[in-house]
């Protein structure tokens, strides 16, 4: 491990306790067992496709595989791409293709040696880009292994699915997550309430990385109590999106826009994540017209994908929510 | 006959507005000696820059050699015109005044090297040279103004235009009511030529908007749209606006952003103080228009362009009357937007670097890690300057973290 990485893990438990080998992965036992077998015969390793909810270890497992197969040099021989940052066909043509092409020259004479491309959040890729990827996978399969990661398998085109072995990661069970958080608390000498750990599970619906971040922030406030967990969860971008939705529903259009501009410009929130979080947060708000809320969200999800000005579409969405909120004819319940 | 021609001043004495600027120009020309710096007139159109120069040439008995935006003005063209003038000062034994109008219109692409050449040659002028420009925003014009004496012209104030308008109407024995007069004056934006054109149109009963001027500034166009009495007039403003429909996803300079019609309407609407239900109905129109803009850009179907003006002009018209909407270039007031932009600029690299380190996207790092990282640093009293070395951050990234820590500390208090 490089020096800088060690320092980030000193600071953040989520990095400190991130498994670096498959043996250290405690959940997804069936998948890990199967992967162990594959990793032992590197020459027969197929392309892999990991699907499942956020924060269950898909990327971590992918990095573990890269590290175990490629050894010390894994960083040099691994290309990590996140389609949520660059989702178009340009990314596939320029970065993936280039990496695949260069590596042939470097590794041609070595035998088992190949490189790995980890393509994260692949369901964010346009179908155009996925189609382009299909050919590249074929052309470079002698020297390259792909690990494609997504939340929703249905958004990956069939020809890509058929070129990979699919692993479906499952959501962490409550006991599993609470047990894991407890272990960390003991190792870090932190006082905690059992109820508070269970509450972290509710707050993150089993997203382990978000859970560990909440745990550490709550611990920083003294100990892991219910109220500290609530406060710690409030720090997240997800909660801030929830606040934006509440402001919009109560007709405070400009206040909602200010917060949204901050999230997008400072914290780099993508429009897709905004919609995702908004929907999750609204689910907990007990609206009078959840169906109409969903219909508005669906409409603007579509308009964002077709339109050219995301800023205009998002502002129009907030204004529509204001209209819905006034229809509820009172302050919405939170 | 066009009033703007009838009332064009015949002598310098007949001109009005910008008295100080005019006196400065007259002084400069009357005292001009070889080697004196050229003159750069900066100001909006229709305040008399060109007229002044022409009348002065007449008064002081100069031969006027003129070049304006209708001529191509690359380095070679300019050289061909200027060098002979600078080399033999009196071609026909008469004094020569060189006038380069609309120098800010010298284009970087068509008129390659034109401005660079001017900046160089103007240091060695041997005859009086006057140049005129509308703005000094352009970096090249700023550079040019360093080798010149600059005189600024301002829009003519409404009260002076009002006096002049009354005089003109009286001489034609015509009348306009107070509201009509105000409209004519407002629309002319301190431009005397526009005032005369608008007034003549109003008197003649046809509500012309832009007259012979084919393009109007986006600010004037949006304000005109919101104050138009009927949708036909409103449409006229939109279709003549010096602006386009573009796709910001391919990147936009601030000037392109200003000249994006959809953005201009958007920023004007959301920055106003109107109720959210009005905003909702207006933004719904823009949102639908944006779908067409998006399709047009994505599929390169430029034929869709012909529908968009209509969609906006007629779609917004009904619901945007009498709301006092005004053009605003910025969708969020500066005191709020400035710190957000500044933080965003600082944060950019940090997001990218840390997303890579934590094997996730920028968006997820920003929403599920960054607030916690800052909180942890805050709780443990960690100075971001210590981390600059340890986390291999550059100075900007360190500053970004420091700024977020400050904000968190403020909230904590």
């Amino acid at each position: 491990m490089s020096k800088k990485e060690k320092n980030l893990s000193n600071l953040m438990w989520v990095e400190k306790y991130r498994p670096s080998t498959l043996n250290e992965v405690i959940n997804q036992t069936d998948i890990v067992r199967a992967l162990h077998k594959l990793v032992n015969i590197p020459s027969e390793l197929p392309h892999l496709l990991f699907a499942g909810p956020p924060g269950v270890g898909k990327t971590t497992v992918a990095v573990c595989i890269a590290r175990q197969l490629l050894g010390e040099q894994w960083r040099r021989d691994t290309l990590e791409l996140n389609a949520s940052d660059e989702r178009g066909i340009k990314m596939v043509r320029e970065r993936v293709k280039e990496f695949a092409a260069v590596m042939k020259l470097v590794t041609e004479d070595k035998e088992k040696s190949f490189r790995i491309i980890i393509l994260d959040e692949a369901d964010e890729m346009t179908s155009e880009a996925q189609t382009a990827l299909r050919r590249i996978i074929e052309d470079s399969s002698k020297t390259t292994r792909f690990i494609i990661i997504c939340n929703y398998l249905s958004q990956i085109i069939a020809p890509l699915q058929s070129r990979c072995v699919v692993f479906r990661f499952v959501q962490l069970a409550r006991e599993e997550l609470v047990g894991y958080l407890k272990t960390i608390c003991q190792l870090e000498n932190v006082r905690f309430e059992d109820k508070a750990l269970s509450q972290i599970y509710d707050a993150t619906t089993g997203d382990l990385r978000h859970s560990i971040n909440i745990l550490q922030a709550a611990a920083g406030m003294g100990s892991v109590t219910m109220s500290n967990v609530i406060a710690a969860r409030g720090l997240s971008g997800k909660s801030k999106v929830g606040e934006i939705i509440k402001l919009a529903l109560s007709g405070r259009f400009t206040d909602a826009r200010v917060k949204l501009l901050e999230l997008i410009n400072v914290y780099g929130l993508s429009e897709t994540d905004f919609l995702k979080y908004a929907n999750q947060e609204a689910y907990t708000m007990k609206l009078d017209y959840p169906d109409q809320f969903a219909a508005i969200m669906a409409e603007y999800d579509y308009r964002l994908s077709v339109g050219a000005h995301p800023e205009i579409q998002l502002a129009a969405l907030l204004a529509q929510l204001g209209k819905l909120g006034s229809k509820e004819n009172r302050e919405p319940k939170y | 006959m066009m009033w703007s021609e009838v009332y064009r001043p015949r002598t310098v004495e007949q001109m009005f507005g910008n008295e100080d600027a005019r006196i400065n120009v007259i002084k400069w020309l009357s005292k001009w000696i070889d080697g004196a710096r050229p003159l750069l007139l900066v100001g909006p159109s229709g305040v008399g820059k060109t007229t002044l120069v022409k009348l002065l040439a007449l008064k002081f008995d100069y031969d006027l050699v003129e070049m304006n935006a209708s001529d191509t003005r690359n380095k070679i063209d300019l050289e061909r015109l200027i060098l002979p003038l600078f080399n033999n000062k009196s071609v026909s034994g008469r004094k020569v005044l060189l006038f380069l109008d609309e120098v800010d219109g010298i284009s970087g692409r068509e008129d390659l090297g034109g401005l660079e050449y001017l900046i160089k040659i103007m240091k060695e002028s041997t005859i009086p040279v006057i140049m005129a420009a509308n703005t000094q925003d352009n970096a090249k014009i700023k550079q040019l103004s360093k080798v010149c004496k600059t005189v600024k012209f301002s829009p003519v104030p409404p009260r002076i235009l009002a006096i002049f308008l009354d005089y003109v109407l009286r001489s034609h024995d015509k009348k306009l009511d107070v509201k009509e007069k105000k409209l004519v004056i407002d629309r002319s934006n301190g431009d005397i030529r526009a005032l005369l054109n608008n007034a003549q149109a109003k008197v003649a009963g046809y509500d012309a908007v832009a007259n012979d001027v084919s393009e109007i500034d986006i600010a004037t166009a949006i304000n005109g749209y919101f104050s138009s009495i009927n949708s036909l007039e409103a449409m006229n403003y939109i279709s003549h606006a010096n602006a386009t429909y573009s796709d910001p996803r391919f990147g936009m300079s601030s000037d392109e952003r200003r000249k994006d019609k959809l953005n201009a309407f958007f920023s004007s609407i959301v920055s106003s103080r109107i109720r959210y239900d009005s905003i909702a109905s207006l933004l719904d129109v823009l949102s639908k228009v944006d779908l067409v803009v998006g399709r047009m850009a994505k599929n390169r179907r430029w034929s869709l362009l012909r529908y968009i003006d209509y969609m906006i002009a007629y779609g917004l018209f009904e619901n945007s009357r009498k709301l006092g909407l005004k053009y605003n270039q910025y969708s969020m007031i500066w005191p709020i937007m400035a710190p957000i932009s500044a933080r965003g600029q600082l944060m950019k690299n940090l997001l990218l670097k840390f997303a890579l380190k934590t094997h996730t996207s920028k968006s997820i790092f920003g929403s599920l890690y960054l607030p916690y990282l800052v909180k942890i640093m805050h709780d443990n009293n960690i100075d971001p300057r210590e981390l600059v070395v340890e986390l291999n951050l550059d100075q900007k990234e360190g500053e970004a973290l420091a700024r977020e820590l400050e904000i968190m500390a403020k909230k904590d208090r």
Side-chain angles (χ1 to χ4, degrees), chain A residues 81-226:
Chain A
L81 285 171
N82 198 301
S84 143
D85 294 334
E86 325 165 58
R87 66 183 62 182
I89 194 164
K90 206 173 144 207
M91 178 265 273
V92 171
R93 286 192 180 139
E94 285 175 9
R95 306 208 44 197
V96 177
K97 207 172 168 184
E98 208 169 273
F99 188 81
V102 168
M103 107 184 90
K104 281 183 185 168
L105 294 173
V106 178
T107 57
E108 230 159 18
D109 42 13
K110 298 180 193 168
E111 18 178 70
K112 83 171 192 184
S113 161
F114 48 80
R115 287 187 180 182
I116 292 177
I117 295 180
I118 300 174
L119 196 54
D120 218 336
E121 301 198 39
D123 37 1
E124 294 287 328
M125 286 168 75
T126 59
S127 56
E128 227 182 355
Q130 291 190 29
T131 311
L133 193 59
R134 178 182 157 177
R135 266 307 291 276
I136 295 172
I137 291 184
E138 265 165 20
D139 291 352
S140 58
S141 63
K142 272 189 188 158
T143 49
T144 316
R145 290 295 173 275
F146 281 81
I147 305 179
I148 297 171
I149 301 174
C150 65
N151 289 140
Y152 301 103
L153 194 57
S154 57
Q155 285 176 32
I156 302 294
I157 59 170
L160 272 190
Q161 290 190 36
S162 78
R163 280 166 178 74
C164 304
V165 176
V166 178
F167 290 88
R168 291 173 194 266
F169 284 61
V170 290
Q171 191 159 344
L172 264 67
R174 185 180 296 269
E175 310 77 57
E176 220 175 351
L177 183 110
V178 168
Y180 198 58
L181 295 181
K182 224 177 248 178
T183 314
I184 295 180
C185 286
Q186 282 152 1
L187 288 169
E188 295 289 339
N189 270 326
V190 170
R191 279 181 298 131
F192 63 91
E193 295 170 4
D194 283 317
K195 269 187 305 184
L197 297 187
S198 187
Q199 195 186 358
I200 295 181
Y201 183 87
D202 294 329
T204 65
T205 54
D207 179 338
L208 186 56
R209 82 187 139 194
H210 191 192
S211 298
I212 298 176
N213 278 333
I214 291 181
L215 184 78
Q216 190 176 7
M221 298 173 200
S223 63
V224 186
T225 61
M226 299 280 270

Side-chain angles (χ1 to χ4, degrees), chain A residues 245 249 279 282-283 285-298 320-333:
Chain A
I245 297 301
L249 283 169
N279 207 43
Y283 183 70
M285 287 181 205
K286 298 196 182 64
L287 303 170
D288 280 353
Y289 299 98
D291 53 334
Q292 292 182 31
F293 178 85
I296 293 175
M297 294 296 290
Q320 287 301 321
L321 291 181
K323 260 168 89 177
L324 178 71
S326 71
K327 205 163 159 189
E328 304 212 340
N329 211 12
R330 58 188 168 73
E331 289 284 296
K333 291 178 282 188

Side-chain angles (χ1 to χ4, degrees), chain B residues 177-236:
Chain B
D177 63 31
V178 181
K179 217 175 128 191
E180 286 171 324
K181 275 191 216 165
K182 187 175 177 304
L183 203 64
V184 166
I185 291 168
D186 281 352
R187 277 187 195 167
S188 57
N189 278 325
D191 176 335
I192 302 169
R193 186 171 36 213
L195 177 87
L196 288 165
N197 284 331
N198 287 339
Q200 190 175 19
K202 201 82 194 169
V203 165
Y206 61 91
D207 229 48
V209 169
N211 305 312
D212 54 335
V213 188
S214 63
E215 292 205 321
I216 36 181
D217 181 68
I218 183 76
T220 317
I222 300 274
N223 285 331
Y225 175 85
F226 285 131
S227 60
S228 294
I229 299 150
N230 56 53
S231 49
L232 203 68
E233 185 189 350
M235 174 65 195
N236 208 351

Side-chain angles (χ1 to χ4, degrees), chain B residues 76-323:
Chain B
I76 295 167
D77 298 321
L78 286 168
E79 217 167 26
R80 202 172 286 151
L81 175 84
I82 294 174
L83 272 186
L85 291 176
F86 280 14
N87 289 340
N88 356 265
K89 297 164 205 173
S90 48
V91 182
S92 54
R94 283 169 52 83
K95 299 182 289 181
V96 174
L97 171 64
L98 173 62
F99 179 43
L100 300 170
D101 206 356
E102 302 161 348
V103 283
D104 49 345
I106 294 183
S107 127
R109 200 169 301 155
E110 302 295 320
D111 303 331
L112 201 65
L115 269 174
E116 289 82 352
Y117 175 71
L118 283 185
I119 292 165
K120 195 177 125 237
I121 194 79
M122 284 311 155
K123 289 176 190 155
E124 311 149 11
S125 61
T126 58
I127 58 168
V129 181
I130 302 182
M131 288 169 282
N134 288 133
T135 66
Q136 231 173 327
D137 294 348
N138 181 318
K140 290 258 165 62
I141 298 294
K142 261 186 211 137
Q143 242 179 303
L144 183 62
S145 72
K146 277 185 197 147
V147 296
C148 299
K149 177 183 163 62
T150 305
V151 174
K152 286 203 170 128
F153 283 70
S154 320
V156 181
R159 61 191 162 76
I160 296 182
L161 291 180
I163 296 168
F164 182 59
L165 179 60
D166 279 337
Y167 163 74
V168 170
L169 290 171
R170 240 190 345 266
S171 8
H172 287 271
D173 212 13
K174 300 283 189 213
K175 280 206 164 69
L176 291 177
D177 63 31
V178 181
K179 217 175 128 191
E180 286 171 324
K181 275 191 216 165
K182 187 175 177 304
L183 203 64
V184 166
I185 291 168
D186 281 352
R187 277 187 195 167
S188 57
N189 278 325
D191 176 335
I192 302 169
R193 186 171 36 213
L195 177 87
L196 288 165
N197 284 331
N198 287 339
Q200 190 175 19
K202 201 82 194 169
V203 165
Y206 61 91
D207 229 48
V209 169
N211 305 312
D212 54 335
V213 188
S214 63
E215 292 205 321
I216 36 181
D217 181 68
I218 183 76
T220 317
I222 300 274
N223 285 331
Y225 175 85
F226 285 131
S227 60
S228 294
I229 299 150
N230 56 53
S231 49
L232 203 68
E233 185 189 350
M235 174 65 195
N236 208 351
Y237 273 113
I238 295 198
S239 54
H240 287 96
N242 176 18
T244 56
Y245 295 99
S246 35
D247 186 340
R249 291 172 302 181
F250 298 131
M252 238 180 190
S253 70
S254 62
D255 191 50
E256 279 167 339
R257 195 179 165 78
R258 202 181 85 85
K259 286 190 172 172
D260 182 37
K261 276 193 217 181
L262 212 46
N263 246 330
F265 272 102
F266 172 69
S267 53
S268 306
I269 290 169
V270 294
S271 60
S272 68
R273 290 265 146 222
I274 60 178
R275 273 172 55 93
Y276 65 85
D277 46 352
S278 301
I279 289 190
S281 67
L282 298 177
L283 288 190
D284 188 46
V285 175
L286 296 189
S287 157
K288 283 175 184 152
V289 171
D290 183 46
L291 295 183
V292 182
V293 173
R295 283 194 199 113
M296 177 179 79
K298 189 174 178 221
N299 306 323
R300 295 178 183 79
R301 280 189 73 101
W302 310 119
S303 63
L304 291 177
L305 193 59
R306 68 173 82 106
Y307 312 109
I308 302 180
D309 275 348
Y310 289 96
M311 286 183 73
I312 290 201
Y314 293 91
L316 288 180
F317 189 76
E318 199 90 326
N319 289 323
S320 64
R321 295 307 95 186
K322 293 185 181 143
L323 292 174

Side-chain angles (χ1 to χ4, degrees), chain B residues 6-21:
Chain B
V6 177
Y7 291 95
R8 183 181 283 282
R10 304 280 174 253
T11 66
V12 180
E13 289 74 20
Q14 281 175 1
M15 299 185 74
F16 65 89
N18 286 296
E19 269 68 27
D20 292 344

